[in-house]
Amino acid sequence: MKNLEKLVLGFILMVSISSFAQEYKFGKVSKEELSEVSCSIDSTAHAAVLYENKDIHIDYNQSQGFQLVTEVFKRVKLYSKDGFDYATDEIFLYKKNSDNEKVVGLKGVTYNLVNDKIEESKLKKEGVFESEFSEYYDQVKFTMPSLQEGSVIEYKYKIISPFVSNIDRIYLQYEIPIKKIDVTLESPEYFYFKKFTTGYLPIDLKESNRPGKITLTSRTRTGGGWGGPQGSTTSVRDLNFKIIKNKVNSTNVAAFKVEPYSGNIKNYISSISYELSYMQFPNEPAENYSTTWEDVTKRIYANSSFGDELRKKGYYEEDLKKVISGSKDQTTKMIRVFEYVKNRMRWNNKYSVITNVGVKKAYKEQTGNVAEINLMLTSMLSSVGLNAKPVLVSASNKVTALFPTLDGFNYVVSRVKLADGRIAYLDATDRYGLPNVLPDRVIRGAGRVIAKNGTSQRINFRPTEPSTNRYMIQCQMDKEGMIDGKFNVRHMEYFAHDFRVANGAKDNESKIERFKKRFGIDEIEEYTVKGVKEYGKGVSESFNFKSYDQIELIDNEMYFSPLLFLRDKENVFKSDERAYPIDFGHGFTNTYMVNIKIPEGYEVAEMPKAGGFKMPENVGAFSFKSNVSNGTIQVIVNETVNTPFLNAEYYSVLKQFYSQLIEKENEQIVLKKI
């Protein structure tokens, strides 16, 4: 009897708990949610998604046919002002030819707790901004009103799309915690989708089915023969089928932690993507949608805004004759054509694999998107007898395609194969670019070179050799600990390119300020920079400096790091573990040479010992050398990471490498008074 009572009591308790479970309905925000001062998942979070529901389904419309409908409802808690960025959202609406997606029913409310009462502020029209984002997307952007620390915001909208195969990637994780997320995808059995997942969190996806029905109405004309009256009859029939349902429910999802050198984090955040493989309706053959890279290649060449644009030559032929006049070899021709396009054209910062206004108009106006400029370049290179082909690129801001698709690319560069077998990649949108020296947006991406016959090949743009920064300090110190000296740094290879991109157009005062901010130098005078416009060569910066806080004076002794302000002070890799790769962009070597004249009346009491260490598989190395000669301390340090992209399993080794490096660079030289 007692066991029965316990069982009944337990059942009642379970029912009670379930009845008090949080139900999320638009417009029903609780005081408990508004009173919450920190997130239960992560007390350091500035904001959290309290609830998100994404309902995606394929509906049938009698006049429009099948449509993809995406309904979104999202509620977010803002714990501090640093979380206010999450009160802004963007909706991207795809468009192609005369078809376009549209958003309907956008509503939003901000809730604040004032004097123990809930105040509501509705999203108004002036808080919603519509614009053209690119040739293929319109953008609807909105920011919620009346934000305060502790606010709760919620919004909902519906996207109606004629592109049933174009299901956007579904993100199941953000950079802030998610307390609860529900995702549902329903499609008629006639649509066969493949699923692809990314990220490092487990995804509990459940699949089921339920009956569905479409009511089809058709009208047939009747009569009218031999002058008789005309009429029509309406017939109605039901089409019964199965609806395939995918459902994901997750709770207490940890925030994605952005680590140093992350690259495009959207490649690693937990998500699920759907590719329409094929459609097959009753008594009809299958219509395939899955594609191969060969199919993608053929489709892009068949696109008039790509293949036809490559074939156009008349608009530049006369100019090009002058450009290559007197050129005796392939390399000279390539360089001259490349420099001509690079200097004539200006990139409008628009990414695309096809042209917008066309190469002819872009050439005349001397500005264009990336496809117009680099397809123009490829066409010119081919017309002067070079083996040039376009390369489709997923730039660094584009999520890597999980399956063969043209939508996975948003950029184009040119590839030239010279007669001696050398290969050069060229990007004429980059005014500082050189053959095989590409902008960061390209080298951190991925490419695929394509040919007219449908063949293609994946391309890795990462430089195979590390780039070098060489630092030199020659200085002296006085008995009060002030350091007075000369500083020089020479940027080589990609470091030189990166300097030109970041600082080439800035004035000297801006360049000086970055040194003061980075190294904490007190005074800088006689700053000079050389080689900025000598593309392909290094860039040198030099100045005189004074620094007052690099030396610690204790009694009759002086303590300081042998690298002074050049030393690494803390390890950027702080996490105990890491689930996704480390992306340096390119390998690098930092070389430091420091000469310090010892103050009169002092001698070296302690000096760090020479030494070094390596990471396995030649991933990286560190060396430290020091010497005292003729009253001068000489220090040479080398830091090298050879591999630009490291998988997550190397993280602990890399972290340890940096810990050892920092420990060594922060060992002290001790001078004592004689």
Side-chain angles (χ1 to χ4, degrees), residues 319-328 332-333 336:
D319 292 337
L320 197 58
K321 289 178 183 178
K322 300 174 186 177
V323 172
I324 64 167
S325 177
S327 301
K328 296 181 180 180
T332 303
K333 285 183 180 180
R336 286 189 179 182

PDB file of all heavy atoms in Angstrom, residues 319-328 332-333 336:
ATOM      1  N   ASP A 319      43.782  48.777 -76.268  1.00  0.00           N
ATOM      2  CA  ASP A 319      44.566  49.179 -75.087  1.00  0.00           C
ATOM      3  C   ASP A 319      45.595  48.112 -74.737  1.00  0.00           C
ATOM      4  O   ASP A 319      46.726  48.415 -74.345  1.00  0.00           O
ATOM      5  CB  ASP A 319      43.649  49.419 -73.883  1.00  0.00           C
ATOM      6  CG  ASP A 319      42.761  50.641 -74.065  1.00  0.00           C
ATOM      7  OD1 ASP A 319      43.133  51.527 -74.856  1.00  0.00           O
ATOM      8  OD2 ASP A 319      41.699  50.700 -73.419  1.00  0.00           O
ATOM      9  N   LEU A 320      45.208  46.853 -74.872  1.00  0.00           N
ATOM     10  CA  LEU A 320      46.078  45.755 -74.456  1.00  0.00           C
ATOM     11  C   LEU A 320      47.306  45.630 -75.360  1.00  0.00           C
ATOM     12  O   LEU A 320      48.379  45.229 -74.895  1.00  0.00           O
ATOM     13  CB  LEU A 320      45.285  44.444 -74.446  1.00  0.00           C
ATOM     14  CG  LEU A 320      45.910  43.277 -73.671  1.00  0.00           C
ATOM     15  CD1 LEU A 320      46.144  43.655 -72.219  1.00  0.00           C
ATOM     16  CD2 LEU A 320      45.021  42.048 -73.755  1.00  0.00           C
ATOM     17  N   LYS A 321      47.149  45.991 -76.628  1.00  0.00           N
ATOM     18  CA  LYS A 321      48.306  45.947 -77.533  1.00  0.00           C
ATOM     19  C   LYS A 321      49.432  46.848 -77.020  1.00  0.00           C
ATOM     20  O   LYS A 321      50.615  46.494 -77.083  1.00  0.00           O
ATOM     21  CB  LYS A 321      47.889  46.382 -78.938  1.00  0.00           C
ATOM     22  CG  LYS A 321      47.015  45.381 -79.668  1.00  0.00           C
ATOM     23  CD  LYS A 321      46.600  45.921 -81.033  1.00  0.00           C
ATOM     24  CE  LYS A 321      45.665  44.938 -81.745  1.00  0.00           C
ATOM     25  NZ  LYS A 321      45.201  45.472 -83.057  1.00  0.00           N
ATOM     26  N   LYS A 322      49.050  48.009 -76.512  1.00  0.00           N
ATOM     27  CA  LYS A 322      50.051  48.947 -75.976  1.00  0.00           C
ATOM     28  C   LYS A 322      50.662  48.392 -74.686  1.00  0.00           C
ATOM     29  O   LYS A 322      51.850  48.567 -74.429  1.00  0.00           O
ATOM     30  CB  LYS A 322      49.403  50.301 -75.709  1.00  0.00           C
ATOM     31  CG  LYS A 322      48.807  50.957 -76.943  1.00  0.00           C
ATOM     32  CD  LYS A 322      48.045  52.229 -76.561  1.00  0.00           C
ATOM     33  CE  LYS A 322      47.321  52.816 -77.769  1.00  0.00           C
ATOM     34  NZ  LYS A 322      46.512  54.004 -77.404  1.00  0.00           N
ATOM     35  N   VAL A 323      49.841  47.750 -73.892  1.00  0.00           N
ATOM     36  CA  VAL A 323      50.300  47.244 -72.593  1.00  0.00           C
ATOM     37  C   VAL A 323      51.406  46.211 -72.761  1.00  0.00           C
ATOM     38  O   VAL A 323      52.408  46.220 -72.040  1.00  0.00           O
ATOM     39  CB  VAL A 323      49.118  46.637 -71.795  1.00  0.00           C
ATOM     40  CG1 VAL A 323      49.617  45.930 -70.541  1.00  0.00           C
ATOM     41  CG2 VAL A 323      48.111  47.719 -71.422  1.00  0.00           C
ATOM     42  N   ILE A 324      51.250  45.296 -73.713  1.00  0.00           N
ATOM     43  CA  ILE A 324      52.226  44.195 -73.846  1.00  0.00           C
ATOM     44  C   ILE A 324      53.258  44.465 -74.939  1.00  0.00           C
ATOM     45  O   ILE A 324      54.076  43.591 -75.237  1.00  0.00           O
ATOM     46  CB  ILE A 324      51.511  42.862 -74.124  1.00  0.00           C
ATOM     47  CG1 ILE A 324      50.790  42.916 -75.477  1.00  0.00           C
ATOM     48  CG2 ILE A 324      50.565  42.504 -72.987  1.00  0.00           C
ATOM     49  CD1 ILE A 324      50.333  41.553 -75.965  1.00  0.00           C
ATOM     50  N   SER A 325      53.236  45.656 -75.524  1.00  0.00           N
ATOM     51  CA  SER A 325      54.189  45.972 -76.590  1.00  0.00           C
ATOM     52  C   SER A 325      55.622  45.786 -76.105  1.00  0.00           C
ATOM     53  O   SER A 325      56.013  46.300 -75.059  1.00  0.00           O
ATOM     54  CB  SER A 325      53.987  47.420 -77.051  1.00  0.00           C
ATOM     55  OG  SER A 325      54.945  47.775 -78.030  1.00  0.00           O
ATOM     56  N   GLY A 326      56.397  45.013 -76.837  1.00  0.00           N
ATOM     57  CA  GLY A 326      57.799  44.779 -76.486  1.00  0.00           C
ATOM     58  C   GLY A 326      58.021  43.656 -75.503  1.00  0.00           C
ATOM     59  O   GLY A 326      59.168  43.340 -75.169  1.00  0.00           O
ATOM     60  N   SER A 327      56.945  43.025 -75.008  1.00  0.00           N
ATOM     61  CA  SER A 327      57.092  41.914 -74.056  1.00  0.00           C
ATOM     62  C   SER A 327      57.673  40.700 -74.771  1.00  0.00           C
ATOM     63  O   SER A 327      57.154  40.275 -75.802  1.00  0.00           O
ATOM     64  CB  SER A 327      55.737  41.551 -73.442  1.00  0.00           C
ATOM     65  OG  SER A 327      55.182  42.660 -72.776  1.00  0.00           O
ATOM     66  N   LYS A 328      58.719  40.115 -74.220  1.00  0.00           N
ATOM     67  CA  LYS A 328      59.415  39.018 -74.886  1.00  0.00           C
ATOM     68  C   LYS A 328      59.154  37.651 -74.267  1.00  0.00           C
ATOM     69  O   LYS A 328      59.489  36.627 -74.855  1.00  0.00           O
ATOM     70  CB  LYS A 328      60.922  39.295 -74.889  1.00  0.00           C
ATOM     71  CG  LYS A 328      61.312  40.520 -75.699  1.00  0.00           C
ATOM     72  CD  LYS A 328      62.812  40.736 -75.682  1.00  0.00           C
ATOM     73  CE  LYS A 328      63.198  41.970 -76.497  1.00  0.00           C
ATOM     74  NZ  LYS A 328      64.677  42.202 -76.490  1.00  0.00           N
ATOM     75  N   THR A 332      56.747  38.451 -68.328  1.00  0.00           N
ATOM     76  CA  THR A 332      56.609  39.892 -68.542  1.00  0.00           C
ATOM     77  C   THR A 332      55.193  40.239 -68.974  1.00  0.00           C
ATOM     78  O   THR A 332      54.593  41.213 -68.496  1.00  0.00           O
ATOM     79  CB  THR A 332      57.621  40.376 -69.602  1.00  0.00           C
ATOM     80  OG1 THR A 332      58.934  40.032 -69.189  1.00  0.00           O
ATOM     81  CG2 THR A 332      57.525  41.879 -69.783  1.00  0.00           C
ATOM     82  N   LYS A 333      54.638  39.449 -69.893  1.00  0.00           N
ATOM     83  CA  LYS A 333      53.259  39.688 -70.325  1.00  0.00           C
ATOM     84  C   LYS A 333      52.296  39.606 -69.142  1.00  0.00           C
ATOM     85  O   LYS A 333      51.409  40.449 -68.980  1.00  0.00           O
ATOM     86  CB  LYS A 333      52.862  38.653 -71.386  1.00  0.00           C
ATOM     87  CG  LYS A 333      53.454  38.882 -72.759  1.00  0.00           C
ATOM     88  CD  LYS A 333      52.934  37.824 -73.733  1.00  0.00           C
ATOM     89  CE  LYS A 333      53.521  38.032 -75.122  1.00  0.00           C
ATOM     90  NZ  LYS A 333      53.021  37.013 -76.082  1.00  0.00           N
ATOM     91  N   ARG A 336      52.672  42.638 -66.803  1.00  0.00           N
ATOM     92  CA  ARG A 336      52.184  43.890 -67.393  1.00  0.00           C
ATOM     93  C   ARG A 336      50.663  43.935 -67.439  1.00  0.00           C
ATOM     94  O   ARG A 336      50.048  44.958 -67.129  1.00  0.00           O
ATOM     95  CB  ARG A 336      52.763  44.060 -68.801  1.00  0.00           C
ATOM     96  CG  ARG A 336      54.227  44.455 -68.812  1.00  0.00           C
ATOM     97  CD  ARG A 336      54.672  44.828 -70.215  1.00  0.00           C
ATOM     98  NE  ARG A 336      56.071  45.234 -70.243  1.00  0.00           N
ATOM     99  CZ  ARG A 336      56.704  45.656 -71.338  1.00  0.00           C
ATOM    100  NH1 ARG A 336      56.041  45.704 -72.492  1.00  0.00           N
ATOM    101  NH2 ARG A 336      57.972  46.008 -71.296  1.00  0.00           N
TER     102      ARG A 336
END
